[in-house]
C-alpha cells in the first residue's frame, strides 16, 4: 500500500495560534467581525478537528444569515463543504460549494470566488476526476493572478503539480512543484515550503526517480516543519519517510517514522491517517512474520476505520486479516471468512483491482483446502479480462496450474504452467528494472541475480542458530558474486588478452576476500561460538551486546562486498562514463548540502569557494558525484571537532581543478606514495581500503589526474582535475 498523494493539510493553516481568536470572540458582540473569526477558526481546524470546525462554521453561517452578510455566508458554506467532503458526505459537499460559488459571483466577491474554485478543484481531485480537478485549479490560478495573491498562487502551484502528475504531464508537474518551492522561499511561506518539498518528493518517488533527492527534500521539509511547530506537516512527512524507507526494504527505519507520525495523529484523532498507519504497520510486521503483532495493528485499524468514510480501507483491512490467519495458523477457512467480508463491502465490482485480488486470494484458499473446482472458478474470475499486477498474475497462474492438474485437465495445466514461468521471469526483470534507475542499483544488478541462486542454496541448509545461518549466507553470497562476476565477464569477452586480464582479476579478488573478510568473519565466528557455548548462562544484556557486534560486522562485510564489486567493474572497464556538459559548482553545492547535517553533528565547518565563471566540464555526473562523496567521507572521518573542510574550484579552457582540504590528522610522506593503491588504508580506518582506489579509477576514466598533499597534524588536501572539452 503506497501512501503518497496531494496533502490535505493545504486546506488548513494551524501554524497560527487559535487561542487568541477564541479569546477575542468572548469580548465581541455578534456581527461581521465575529463571523470572520468563526470562519477563520473553522477553516484552520478543517483537518485537525472536523467536529469543532463544523461547529465554528455553523455559528458563522447562523450569524451571517441573521446580519445579511453575503461574504460570511459564502465563506462558511465553502468551509462546510470541505468538512462534508472530509467526512464522506460527498453530495452535500458539492451542493454547499456550488451554493457558495453562486453567492460569490452574485456579490462579485472575487477573492472568495477564487478560493471556491480551488476548493472545487480539490473536491474533484478527491473524486478522482482528473479533468475537472485540473480545470478548476487552473481557473483559480488565473483569478489569483489577477488578484496578485502570491500565497494562494503558491497553493495553486502545489495542487497543479499533483494534477499534472496524475494527468501524466510530468514536465509541467515538475515545473509547478519547483515554482511552489521558489515562491515559498522567496516570500517566507514556511508551511507551504514543507508542502512543496513533500510534493516534489512524492512526484519523484512515484516515478521512481532521484531517490537521493527524495530523501534530501523530505529531510529538509521535516526540519522546517519541526522548527516552525508545524506538527501536522511534520507528521505527514514522517509518514512519507516511512513509505520511502519501506520501498527501500528498510523496515526498521520505516516503522520508526510511522510510529512517530502515529503519536501525533492519535492526539488529534485524525482517523483516515490513523487507519492507514495501522495498516502499514500491520503489513510490515506481517512481512517480518510477526503475525500476532500484525493482528493487533489490523484490529486497531479496523476500530479506526469504523469512524472513517472509506469502504475500500475497511475491505483492505479484512483482506489483510485473512492473510494473517492463512500465513500464521494455516487456517484457510478463517481466511475465507475475512476475504468474503471484504468482497461484500466492495460490492463485488469485478473491474476493481481490490476485487480481483480478493478473488485470487479466495481461489488460493480453496486450493489449500483441496477444493479444486472452487479454486479454479475464483482464480479464473480474478484474472478474467483484467489488467492486474505481475505479482497477482503469478499467484493466479500458480493456483490455476495446480487446480487443473488435480482436476486432471492436462491442457489447461500446461497452458497456465507455461504462463507462470513467463510471468515469473517478467516479474524478476520488472523488479530489477526498477532498481537500475540509479547508480547504486546498477552496481547491485549482478549481485541481485547471484543472490537469488544463493537463497535457493541457503534453503537446503538448516543451521543450528539464526546467527550461524546469517554468517553462512554472507559467505555464500560473496562467493556467488565473485563467481558470477568472473563468469559474466568471460562470456562478454572473446579476445585472449581480456581472458588473461579477467583471470588475473579473479586471483586479485580472491586475495582481497581473504584479506578484507578475515577480521569481521573471525569476530562473528568468535561471538557466535561464545553464544553457543554459554547459551544458558549468558545474560540478556550480554546476548544483545554480542548480537550488536555481529550485526556491525555484517554491515562492514556488506560495505566490503560493495566496494570490491565496484572496483572490479571499474578495473575491468565494465563501467564507461556517460559524459555530458554540466556545472561542477552546482554538483559540489548539492553534495555539500547533503553533508551539512553530518558536519553539524560533528561540529565541523563546511565552506566552498567556486568562481561563478567556472567553465563547464564534460564528465559522467553520477561517477563524479561518487568521487566527491568518497573524498568528503574521508575528510569528515579524519577532521576533528571544530575543524574545517574547504572546497576550492579553479579552471581554464583546458581543465577544471577541484580541491577538498581538511584540518585533520594528516598523512605521512610514506603513506602519500601508496594511498591510492588498492589495499592501502589508515591503520585506524574501518574501511576496505578501496575508496581512494575507486576515486583514482573514476578520475582516470575521465582522463583526469588526482593527487594528495598533506602534513602531519595540519591536514590533507586532495586535488582532482576534469577536462572542459569533449574527449
Amino acid at each position: 500500500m503506497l501512501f503518497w498523494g496531494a496533502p490535505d493539510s493545504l486546506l488548513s493553516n494551524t501554524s497560527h495560534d487559535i487561542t487568541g481568536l477564541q479569546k477575542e470572540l468572548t469580548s465581541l458582540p455578534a456581527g461581521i467581525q465575529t463571523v470572520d473569526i468563526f470562519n477563520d477558526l473553522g477553516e484552520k481546524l478543517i483537518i485537525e478537528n472536523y467536529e469543532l470546525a463544523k461547529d465554528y462554521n455553523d455559528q458563522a453561517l447562523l450569524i451571517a444569515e441573521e446580519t445579511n452578510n453575503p461574504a460570511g455566508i459564502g465563506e462558511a458554506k465553502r468551509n462546510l463543504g470541505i468538512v462534508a467532503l472530509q467526512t464522506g458526505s460527498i453530495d452535500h459537499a458539492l451542493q454547499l460549494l456550488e451554493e457558495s460559488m453562486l453567492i460569490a459571483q452574485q456579490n462579485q466577491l472575487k477573492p472568495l470566488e477564487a478560493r471556491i474554485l480551488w476548493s472545487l478543484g480539490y473536491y474533484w481531485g478527491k473524486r478522482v476526476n482528473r479533468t475537472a480537478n485540473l480545470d478548476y485549479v487552473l481557473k483559480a490560478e488565473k483569478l489569483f493572478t489577477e488578484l496578485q495573491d502570491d500565497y494562494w498562487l503558491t497553493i495553486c502551484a502545489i495542487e497543479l503539480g499533483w494534477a499534472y502528475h496524475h494527468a501524466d504531464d510530468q514536465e509541467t508537474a515538475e515545473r509547478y512543484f519547483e515554482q511552489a518551492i521558489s515562491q515559498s522561499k522567496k516570500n517566507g511561506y514556511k508551511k507551504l515550503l514543507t508542502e512543496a518539498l513533500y510534493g516534489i518528493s512524492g512526484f519523484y518517488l512515484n516515478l521512481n526517480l532521484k531517490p537521493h533527492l527524495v530523501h534530501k527534500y523530505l529531510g529538509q521539509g521535516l526540519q522546517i516543519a519541526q522548527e516552525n511547530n508545524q506538527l501536522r506537516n511534520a507528521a505527514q512527512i514522517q509518514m512519507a519517510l516511512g513509505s520511502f524507507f519501506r520501498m527501500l526494504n528498510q523496515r526498521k527505519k520505516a516503522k520508526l517514522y510511522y510510529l512517530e507520525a502515529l503519536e501525533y495523529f492519535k492526539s488529534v484523532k485524525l482517523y483516515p491517517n490513523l487507519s492507514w498507519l495501522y495498516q502499514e504497520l500491520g503489513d510490515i510486521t506481517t512481512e517480518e512474520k510477526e503475525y500476532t503483532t500484525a493482528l493487533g495493528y489490523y484490529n486497531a485499524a479496523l476500530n479506526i476505520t469504523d469512524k472513517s468514510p472509506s469502504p475500500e480501507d475497511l475491505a483492505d483491512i479484512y483482506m489483510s486479516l485473512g492473510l494473517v490467519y492463512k500465513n500464521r495458523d494455516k487456517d484457510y477457512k478463517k481466511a475465507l471468512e475475512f476475504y468474503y467480508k471484504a468482497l461484500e463491502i466492495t460490492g463485488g465490482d469485478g473491474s476493481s483491482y481490490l476485487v480481483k485480488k480478493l478473488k485470487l486470494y479466495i481461489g488460493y484458499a480453496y486450493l489449500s483446502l483441496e477444493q479444486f473446482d472452487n479454486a479454479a472458478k475464483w482464480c479464473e474470475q480474478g484474472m478474467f479480462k483484467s489488467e492486474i499486477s505481475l505479482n497477482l498474475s503469478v499467484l493466479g497462474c500458480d493456483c490455476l496450474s495446480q487446480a487443473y492438474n488435480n482436476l486432471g485437465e492436462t491442457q489447461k495445466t500446461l497452458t497456465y504452467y507455461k504462463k507462470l514461468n513467463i510471468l515469473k521471469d517478467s516479474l524478476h526483470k520488472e523488479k530489477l528494472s526498477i532498481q537500475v534507475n540509479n547508480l547504486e542499483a546498477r552496481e547491485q544488478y549482478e549481485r541481485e541475480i547471484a543472490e537469488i541462486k544463493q537463497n535457493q542454496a541457503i534453503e537446503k541448509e538448516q543451521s543450528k542458530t539464526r546467527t550461524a545461518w546469517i554468517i553462512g549466507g554472507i559467505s555464500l553470497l560473496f562467493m556467488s558474486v565473485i563467481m558470477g562476476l568472473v563468469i559474466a565477464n568471460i562470456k562478454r569477452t572473446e579476445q585472449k588478452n581480456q581472458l588473461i586480464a579477467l583471470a588475473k582479476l579473479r586471483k586479485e579478488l580472491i586475495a582481497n576476500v581473504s584479506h578484507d573478510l578475515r577480521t569481521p568473519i573471525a569476530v562473528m565466528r568468535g561471538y557466535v561460538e561464545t553464544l553457543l557455548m554459554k547459551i544458558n548462562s549468558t545474560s540478556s544484556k550480554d546476548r544483545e551486546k554480542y548480537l550488536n557486534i555481529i550485526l556491525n560486522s555484517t554491515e562492514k562485510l556488506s560495505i566490503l562486498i560493495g566496494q570490491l564489486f565496484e572496483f572490479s567493474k571499474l578495473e575491468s572497464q565494465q563501467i564507461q562514463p556517460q559524459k555530458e556538459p554540466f556545472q561542477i559548482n552546482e554538483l559540489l553545492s548539492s553534495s555539500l548540502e547533503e553533508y551539512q547535517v553530518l558536519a553539524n553533528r560533528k561540529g565541523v565547518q563546511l565552506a566552498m569557494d567556486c568562481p561563478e565563471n567556472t567553465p563547464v566540464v564534460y564528465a559522467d555526473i553520477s561517477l563524479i558525484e561518487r568521487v566527491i562523496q568518497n573524498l568528503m567521507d574521508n575528510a569528515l572521518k579524519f577532521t576533528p571537532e571544530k575543524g574545517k573542510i574547504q572546497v576550492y574550484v579553479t579552471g581554464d579552457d583546458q581543465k577544471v581543478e577541484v580541491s577538498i582540504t581538511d584540518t585533520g590528522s594528516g598523512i605521512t610522506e610514506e603513506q602519500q606514495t601508496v594511498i591510492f593503491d588498492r589495499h592501502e588504508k589508515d591503520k585506524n580506518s574501518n574501511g576496505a581500503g578501496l575508496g581512494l582506489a575507486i576515486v583514482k579509477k573514476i578520475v582516470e576514466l575521465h582522463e583526469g589526474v588526482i593527487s594528495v598533499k598533506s602534513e602531519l597534524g595540519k591536514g590533507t588536501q586532495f586535488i582532482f582535475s576534469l577536462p572542459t572539452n569533449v574527449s
Side-chain angles (χ1 to χ4, degrees), residues 328-474:
R328 186 186 70 170
D329 306 326
K330 307 302 179 189
D331 189 342
Y332 301 107
K333 291 182 179 179
K334 188 76 170 176
L336 278 171
E337 288 179 22
F338 282 111
Y339 294 156
Y340 278 122
K341 276 186 181 180
L343 195 62
E344 183 182 355
I345 291 168
T346 64
D349 177 11
S351 63
S352 80
Y353 183 83
L354 179 59
V355 168
K356 293 179 186 302
K357 183 190 288 189
L358 280 166
K359 288 181 176 179
L360 290 172
Y361 285 167
I362 290 170
Y364 220 97
Y366 278 124
L367 179 70
S368 302
L369 292 170
E370 299 185 358
Q371 296 183 28
F372 303 117
D373 283 328
N374 280 331
K377 180 187 75 173
W378 282 98
C379 283
E380 289 281 14
Q381 289 181 27
M383 297 185 69
F384 180 69
K385 291 184 180 179
S386 63
E387 292 185 9
I388 52 179
S389 69
L390 277 173
N391 275 315
L392 289 181
S393 296
V394 167
L395 180 72
C397 286
D398 185 27
C399 179
L400 286 165
S401 63
Q402 291 188 58
Y404 284 127
N405 183 48
N406 281 281
L407 291 169
E409 298 192 32
T410 307
Q411 189 58 47
K412 287 185 177 180
T413 300
L414 289 173
T415 298
Y416 281 111
Y417 186 73
K418 288 178 183 178
K419 285 183 181 179
L420 176 62
N421 286 327
I422 294 169
L423 288 168
K424 279 184 176 179
D425 184 56
S426 299
L427 180 63
H428 179 61
K429 288 178 181 177
E430 181 185 79
K431 288 179 180 177
L432 291 179
S433 68
I434 291 171
Q435 295 177 345
V436 299
N437 286 323
N438 55 64
L439 176 63
E440 210 170 77
R442 288 198 300 270
E443 292 169 350
Q444 294 175 356
Y445 181 83
E446 289 186 17
R447 273 187 287 174
E448 185 83 13
I449 297 170
E451 187 177 353
I452 292 170
K453 296 178 181 177
Q454 171 260 321
N455 284 335
Q456 293 172 348
I458 288 175
E459 287 175 1
K460 300 175 182 178
E461 299 292 329
Q462 296 297 323
S463 301
K464 290 184 178 180
T465 67
R466 182 174 179 272
T467 310
W469 181 88
I470 292 172
I471 295 173
I474 291 169

Side-chain angles (χ1 to χ4, degrees), residues 478-495:
F478 192 78
M479 293 310 298
S480 296
V481 170
I482 294 171
M483 296 307 298
L485 177 62
V486 173
I487 291 168
N489 284 333
I490 290 173
K491 286 181 179 179
R492 279 193 292 268
T493 180
E494 296 176 358
Q495 297 180 5

Side-chain angles (χ1 to χ4, degrees), residues 595-624:
Y595 279 92
Q596 190 64 57
V597 174
L598 294 174
N600 289 344
R601 288 177 185 169
K602 197 174 178 181
V604 172
Q605 180 186 353
L606 296 184
M608 187 172 77
D609 185 2
C610 302
E612 292 184 358
N613 59 348
T614 301
V616 169
V617 299
Y618 282 85
D620 185 315
I621 295 176
S622 60
L623 289 179
I624 300 307

Side-chain angles (χ1 to χ4, degrees), residues 253-296:
K253 284 187 178 180
K255 279 201 288 189
L256 286 174
Y257 280 113
Y258 283 153
L259 289 169
E260 287 180 10
L262 185 71
E263 288 305 308
Y264 169 76
F265 289 118
K266 280 167 68 176
S267 69
V268 297
K269 298 180 181 179
L270 197 57
Y271 298 127
N273 295 72
L274 278 175
S275 173
W276 186 88
L277 280 165
Y278 280 128
Q279 288 179 71
E280 279 290 283
L281 288 164
D283 290 346
I284 290 175
T285 47
T286 297
E287 290 166 8
E288 294 173 335
K289 302 189 187 312
E290 298 176 7
Y291 297 119
T292 303
T293 305
L295 275 179

Side-chain angles (χ1 to χ4, degrees), residues 4 205 211 214-215 218 239-248:
W4 223 310
L205 198 62
V214 173
H215 189 238
L218 285 176
M239 290 174 72
L241 280 164
S243 294
F244 173 73
F245 282 112
R246 191 177 173 204
M247 290 176 198
L248 297 181

Side-chain angles (χ1 to χ4, degrees), residues 570-621:
L570 286 166
E571 197 165 50
S572 60
Q573 298 183 346
Q574 292 183 50
I575 296 177
Q576 293 298 321
Q578 304 298 312
K579 296 181 181 179
E580 62 182 292
F582 68 94
Q583 285 286 349
I584 190 73
N585 293 3
E586 294 178 3
L587 182 59
L588 285 164
S589 177
S590 175
S591 295
L592 259 65
E593 279 185 18
E594 294 175 2
Y595 279 92
Q596 190 64 57
V597 174
L598 294 174
N600 289 344
R601 288 177 185 169
K602 197 174 178 181
V604 172
Q605 180 186 353
L606 296 184
M608 187 172 77
D609 185 2
C610 302
E612 292 184 358
N613 59 348
T614 301
V616 169
V617 299
Y618 282 85
D620 185 315
I621 295 176

